[in-house]
PDB file of all heavy atoms in Angstrom:
ATOM      1  N   ALA U 245       1.512   3.164 -30.303  1.00  0.00           N
ATOM      2  CA  ALA U 245       1.310   4.252 -29.266  1.00  0.00           C
ATOM      3  C   ALA U 245       2.650   4.853 -28.916  1.00  0.00           C
ATOM      4  O   ALA U 245       2.727   6.088 -28.780  1.00  0.00           O
ATOM      5  CB  ALA U 245       0.596   3.656 -28.054  1.00  0.00           C
ATOM      6  N   VAL U 246       3.676   4.049 -28.741  1.00  0.00           N
ATOM      7  CA  VAL U 246       4.973   4.604 -28.372  1.00  0.00           C
ATOM      8  C   VAL U 246       5.471   5.476 -29.522  1.00  0.00           C
ATOM      9  O   VAL U 246       5.998   6.575 -29.297  1.00  0.00           O
ATOM     10  CB  VAL U 246       6.031   3.491 -28.055  1.00  0.00           C
ATOM     11  CG1 VAL U 246       7.393   3.979 -27.968  1.00  0.00           C
ATOM     12  CG2 VAL U 246       5.581   2.817 -26.717  1.00  0.00           C
ATOM     13  N   ASP U 247       5.337   5.000 -30.732  1.00  0.00           N
ATOM     14  CA  ASP U 247       5.765   5.783 -31.951  1.00  0.00           C
ATOM     15  C   ASP U 247       5.018   7.139 -32.023  1.00  0.00           C
ATOM     16  O   ASP U 247       5.640   8.220 -32.244  1.00  0.00           O
ATOM     17  CB  ASP U 247       5.572   4.998 -33.230  1.00  0.00           C
ATOM     18  CG  ASP U 247       6.510   3.852 -33.409  1.00  0.00           C
ATOM     19  OD1 ASP U 247       7.474   3.784 -32.635  1.00  0.00           O
ATOM     20  OD2 ASP U 247       6.265   3.063 -34.343  1.00  0.00           O
ATOM     21  N   ALA U 248       3.724   7.069 -31.806  1.00  0.00           N
ATOM     22  CA  ALA U 248       2.932   8.345 -31.872  1.00  0.00           C
ATOM     23  C   ALA U 248       3.333   9.330 -30.756  1.00  0.00           C
ATOM     24  O   ALA U 248       3.455  10.520 -31.041  1.00  0.00           O
ATOM     25  CB  ALA U 248       1.463   8.019 -31.774  1.00  0.00           C
ATOM     26  N   ALA U 249       3.534   8.860 -29.563  1.00  0.00           N
ATOM     27  CA  ALA U 249       3.899   9.688 -28.488  1.00  0.00           C
ATOM     28  C   ALA U 249       5.350  10.256 -28.700  1.00  0.00           C
ATOM     29  O   ALA U 249       5.650  11.366 -28.306  1.00  0.00           O
ATOM     30  CB  ALA U 249       3.803   8.937 -27.115  1.00  0.00           C
ATOM     31  N   THR U 250       6.183   9.440 -29.243  1.00  0.00           N
ATOM     32  CA  THR U 250       7.560   9.926 -29.614  1.00  0.00           C
ATOM     33  C   THR U 250       7.487  11.050 -30.597  1.00  0.00           C
ATOM     34  O   THR U 250       8.164  12.063 -30.451  1.00  0.00           O
ATOM     35  CB  THR U 250       8.389   8.724 -30.126  1.00  0.00           C
ATOM     36  OG1 THR U 250       8.478   7.710 -29.119  1.00  0.00           O
ATOM     37  CG2 THR U 250       9.867   9.212 -30.500  1.00  0.00           C
ATOM     38  N   CYS U 251       6.720  10.847 -31.659  1.00  0.00           N
ATOM     39  CA  CYS U 251       6.551  11.932 -32.701  1.00  0.00           C
ATOM     40  C   CYS U 251       5.986  13.177 -32.112  1.00  0.00           C
ATOM     41  O   CYS U 251       6.295  14.284 -32.537  1.00  0.00           O
ATOM     42  CB  CYS U 251       5.661  11.438 -33.822  1.00  0.00           C
ATOM     43  SG  CYS U 251       6.399  10.163 -34.873  1.00  0.00           S
ATOM     44  N   ARG U 252       5.194  13.068 -31.093  1.00  0.00           N
ATOM     45  CA  ARG U 252       4.579  14.307 -30.451  1.00  0.00           C
ATOM     46  C   ARG U 252       5.569  14.989 -29.510  1.00  0.00           C
ATOM     47  O   ARG U 252       5.329  16.024 -28.992  1.00  0.00           O
ATOM     48  CB  ARG U 252       3.313  13.882 -29.713  1.00  0.00           C
ATOM     49  CG  ARG U 252       2.549  15.101 -29.198  1.00  0.00           C
ATOM     50  CD  ARG U 252       1.191  14.729 -28.578  1.00  0.00           C
ATOM     51  NE  ARG U 252       0.398  15.916 -28.444  1.00  0.00           N
ATOM     52  CZ  ARG U 252      -0.347  16.099 -27.390  1.00  0.00           C
ATOM     53  NH1 ARG U 252      -0.393  15.187 -26.448  1.00  0.00           N
ATOM     54  NH2 ARG U 252      -1.044  17.187 -27.233  1.00  0.00           N
ATOM     55  N   GLY U 253       6.664  14.229 -29.176  1.00  0.00           N
ATOM     56  CA  GLY U 253       7.706  14.818 -28.356  1.00  0.00           C
ATOM     57  C   GLY U 253       7.567  14.549 -26.870  1.00  0.00           C
ATOM     58  O   GLY U 253       8.174  15.187 -26.027  1.00  0.00           O
ATOM     59  N   HIS U 254       6.770  13.520 -26.498  1.00  0.00           N
ATOM     60  CA  HIS U 254       6.589  13.146 -25.082  1.00  0.00           C
ATOM     61  C   HIS U 254       7.860  12.471 -24.569  1.00  0.00           C
ATOM     62  O   HIS U 254       8.523  11.731 -25.306  1.00  0.00           O
ATOM     63  CB  HIS U 254       5.402  12.217 -24.906  1.00  0.00           C
ATOM     64  CG  HIS U 254       4.092  12.878 -25.031  1.00  0.00           C
ATOM     65  ND1 HIS U 254       3.655  13.757 -24.064  1.00  0.00           N
ATOM     66  CD2 HIS U 254       3.132  12.793 -25.974  1.00  0.00           C
ATOM     67  CE1 HIS U 254       2.444  14.226 -24.400  1.00  0.00           C
ATOM     68  NE2 HIS U 254       2.126  13.641 -25.531  1.00  0.00           N
ATOM     69  N   PRO U 255       8.197  12.701 -23.362  1.00  0.00           N
ATOM     70  CA  PRO U 255       9.352  12.017 -22.726  1.00  0.00           C
ATOM     71  C   PRO U 255       9.089  10.535 -22.592  1.00  0.00           C
ATOM     72  O   PRO U 255       7.922  10.127 -22.603  1.00  0.00           O
ATOM     73  CB  PRO U 255       9.507  12.682 -21.358  1.00  0.00           C
ATOM     74  CG  PRO U 255       8.236  13.307 -21.042  1.00  0.00           C
ATOM     75  CD  PRO U 255       7.543  13.613 -22.363  1.00  0.00           C
ATOM     76  N   PRO U 256      10.072   9.689 -22.443  1.00  0.00           N
ATOM     77  CA  PRO U 256       9.971   8.179 -22.370  1.00  0.00           C
ATOM     78  C   PRO U 256       8.897   7.794 -21.343  1.00  0.00           C
ATOM     79  O   PRO U 256       8.158   6.905 -21.639  1.00  0.00           O
ATOM     80  CB  PRO U 256      11.360   7.792 -22.025  1.00  0.00           C
ATOM     81  CG  PRO U 256      12.274   8.772 -22.609  1.00  0.00           C
ATOM     82  CD  PRO U 256      11.519  10.051 -22.453  1.00  0.00           C
ATOM     83  N   ARG U 257       8.903   8.415 -20.157  1.00  0.00           N
ATOM     84  CA  ARG U 257       7.926   7.987 -19.185  1.00  0.00           C
ATOM     85  C   ARG U 257       6.506   8.163 -19.650  1.00  0.00           C
ATOM     86  O   ARG U 257       5.628   7.303 -19.421  1.00  0.00           O
ATOM     87  CB  ARG U 257       8.169   8.773 -17.884  1.00  0.00           C
ATOM     88  CG  ARG U 257       7.318   8.353 -16.753  1.00  0.00           C
ATOM     89  CD  ARG U 257       7.739   9.089 -15.522  1.00  0.00           C
ATOM     90  NE  ARG U 257       6.622   9.218 -14.610  1.00  0.00           N
ATOM     91  CZ  ARG U 257       6.683   9.841 -13.480  1.00  0.00           C
ATOM     92  NH1 ARG U 257       7.765  10.379 -13.071  1.00  0.00           N
ATOM     93  NH2 ARG U 257       5.586   9.861 -12.725  1.00  0.00           N
ATOM     94  N   ASP U 258       6.211   9.294 -20.281  1.00  0.00           N
ATOM     95  CA  ASP U 258       4.859   9.538 -20.813  1.00  0.00           C
ATOM     96  C   ASP U 258       4.511   8.632 -21.992  1.00  0.00           C
ATOM     97  O   ASP U 258       3.334   8.170 -22.092  1.00  0.00           O
ATOM     98  CB  ASP U 258       4.695  11.012 -21.275  1.00  0.00           C
ATOM     99  CG  ASP U 258       4.591  11.963 -20.078  1.00  0.00           C
ATOM    100  OD1 ASP U 258       4.497  11.474 -18.914  1.00  0.00           O
ATOM    101  OD2 ASP U 258       4.687  13.168 -20.354  1.00  0.00           O
ATOM    102  N   ARG U 259       5.499   8.308 -22.749  1.00  0.00           N
ATOM    103  CA  ARG U 259       5.272   7.331 -23.885  1.00  0.00           C
ATOM    104  C   ARG U 259       4.786   6.053 -23.386  1.00  0.00           C
ATOM    105  O   ARG U 259       3.857   5.394 -23.920  1.00  0.00           O
ATOM    106  CB  ARG U 259       6.544   7.140 -24.730  1.00  0.00           C
ATOM    107  CG  ARG U 259       6.992   8.352 -25.456  1.00  0.00           C
ATOM    108  CD  ARG U 259       8.356   8.085 -26.104  1.00  0.00           C
ATOM    109  NE  ARG U 259       9.098   9.330 -26.231  1.00  0.00           N
ATOM    110  CZ  ARG U 259      10.386   9.350 -26.490  1.00  0.00           C
ATOM    111  NH1 ARG U 259      11.117   8.301 -26.520  1.00  0.00           N
ATOM    112  NH2 ARG U 259      11.008  10.560 -26.490  1.00  0.00           N
ATOM    113  N   GLU U 260       5.518   5.510 -22.374  1.00  0.00           N
ATOM    114  CA  GLU U 260       5.181   4.230 -21.771  1.00  0.00           C
ATOM    115  C   GLU U 260       3.841   4.257 -21.101  1.00  0.00           C
ATOM    116  O   GLU U 260       3.082   3.298 -21.232  1.00  0.00           O
ATOM    117  CB  GLU U 260       6.260   3.820 -20.767  1.00  0.00           C
ATOM    118  CG  GLU U 260       7.655   3.574 -21.407  1.00  0.00           C
ATOM    119  CD  GLU U 260       7.665   2.349 -22.318  1.00  0.00           C
ATOM    120  OE1 GLU U 260       7.085   1.366 -21.959  1.00  0.00           O
ATOM    121  OE2 GLU U 260       8.274   2.412 -23.352  1.00  0.00           O
ATOM    122  N   ALA U 261       3.505   5.320 -20.414  1.00  0.00           N
ATOM    123  CA  ALA U 261       2.233   5.497 -19.752  1.00  0.00           C
ATOM    124  C   ALA U 261       1.128   5.482 -20.789  1.00  0.00           C
ATOM    125  O   ALA U 261       0.086   4.838 -20.563  1.00  0.00           O
ATOM    126  CB  ALA U 261       2.157   6.740 -18.901  1.00  0.00           C
ATOM    127  N   PHE U 262       1.331   6.187 -21.900  1.00  0.00           N
ATOM    128  CA  PHE U 262       0.337   6.249 -22.933  1.00  0.00           C
ATOM    129  C   PHE U 262       0.094   4.861 -23.553  1.00  0.00           C
ATOM    130  O   PHE U 262      -1.044   4.406 -23.695  1.00  0.00           O
ATOM    131  CB  PHE U 262       0.724   7.263 -23.984  1.00  0.00           C
ATOM    132  CG  PHE U 262      -0.180   7.285 -25.242  1.00  0.00           C
ATOM    133  CD1 PHE U 262      -1.501   7.556 -25.100  1.00  0.00           C
ATOM    134  CD2 PHE U 262       0.367   7.020 -26.484  1.00  0.00           C
ATOM    135  CE1 PHE U 262      -2.364   7.567 -26.224  1.00  0.00           C
ATOM    136  CE2 PHE U 262      -0.463   7.048 -27.610  1.00  0.00           C
ATOM    137  CZ  PHE U 262      -1.832   7.319 -27.460  1.00  0.00           C
ATOM    138  N   ALA U 263       1.184   4.228 -23.902  1.00  0.00           N
ATOM    139  CA  ALA U 263       1.096   2.843 -24.475  1.00  0.00           C
ATOM    140  C   ALA U 263       0.361   1.890 -23.550  1.00  0.00           C
ATOM    141  O   ALA U 263      -0.460   1.107 -23.941  1.00  0.00           O
ATOM    142  CB  ALA U 263       2.480   2.352 -24.859  1.00  0.00           C
ATOM    143  N   ALA U 264       0.746   1.970 -22.270  1.00  0.00           N
ATOM    144  CA  ALA U 264       0.069   1.084 -21.301  1.00  0.00           C
ATOM    145  C   ALA U 264      -1.355   1.326 -21.154  1.00  0.00           C
ATOM    146  O   ALA U 264      -2.172   0.402 -21.068  1.00  0.00           O
ATOM    147  CB  ALA U 264       0.770   1.245 -19.927  1.00  0.00           C
ATOM    148  N   ALA U 265      -1.741   2.598 -21.182  1.00  0.00           N
ATOM    149  CA  ALA U 265      -3.216   2.943 -21.098  1.00  0.00           C
ATOM    150  C   ALA U 265      -3.932   2.468 -22.320  1.00  0.00           C
ATOM    151  O   ALA U 265      -5.073   1.965 -22.240  1.00  0.00           O
ATOM    152  CB  ALA U 265      -3.344   4.494 -20.930  1.00  0.00           C
ATOM    153  N   VAL U 266      -3.337   2.619 -23.484  1.00  0.00           N
ATOM    154  CA  VAL U 266      -3.999   2.164 -24.786  1.00  0.00           C
ATOM    155  C   VAL U 266      -4.148   0.697 -24.694  1.00  0.00           C
ATOM    156  O   VAL U 266      -5.250   0.158 -24.983  1.00  0.00           O
ATOM    157  CB  VAL U 266      -3.114   2.589 -26.013  1.00  0.00           C
ATOM    158  CG1 VAL U 266      -3.608   1.838 -27.263  1.00  0.00           C
ATOM    159  CG2 VAL U 266      -3.208   4.095 -26.210  1.00  0.00           C
ATOM    160  N   VAL U 267      -3.126  -0.031 -24.403  1.00  0.00           N
ATOM    161  CA  VAL U 267      -3.209  -1.528 -24.409  1.00  0.00           C
ATOM    162  C   VAL U 267      -4.166  -2.033 -23.336  1.00  0.00           C
ATOM    163  O   VAL U 267      -4.947  -2.954 -23.564  1.00  0.00           O
ATOM    164  CB  VAL U 267      -1.813  -2.148 -24.163  1.00  0.00           C
ATOM    165  CG1 VAL U 267      -1.864  -3.639 -23.877  1.00  0.00           C
ATOM    166  CG2 VAL U 267      -0.953  -1.895 -25.427  1.00  0.00           C
ATOM    167  N   ALA U 268      -4.160  -1.411 -22.183  1.00  0.00           N
ATOM    168  CA  ALA U 268      -5.164  -1.838 -21.086  1.00  0.00           C
ATOM    169  C   ALA U 268      -6.580  -1.611 -21.621  1.00  0.00           C
ATOM    170  O   ALA U 268      -7.492  -2.451 -21.364  1.00  0.00           O
ATOM    171  CB  ALA U 268      -4.903  -0.984 -19.840  1.00  0.00           C
ATOM    172  N   ALA U 269      -6.835  -0.463 -22.300  1.00  0.00           N
ATOM    173  CA  ALA U 269      -8.206  -0.212 -22.785  1.00  0.00           C
ATOM    174  C   ALA U 269      -8.600  -1.225 -23.853  1.00  0.00           C
ATOM    175  O   ALA U 269      -9.716  -1.691 -23.934  1.00  0.00           O
ATOM    176  CB  ALA U 269      -8.309   1.185 -23.348  1.00  0.00           C
TER     177      ALA U 269
END
Side-chain angles (χ1 to χ4, degrees):
V246 169
D247 289 348
T250 300
C251 289
R252 189 172 191 223
H254 285 292
R257 183 173 154 182
D258 286 352
R259 294 176 207 161
E260 295 293 318
F262 174 60
V266 167
V267 169

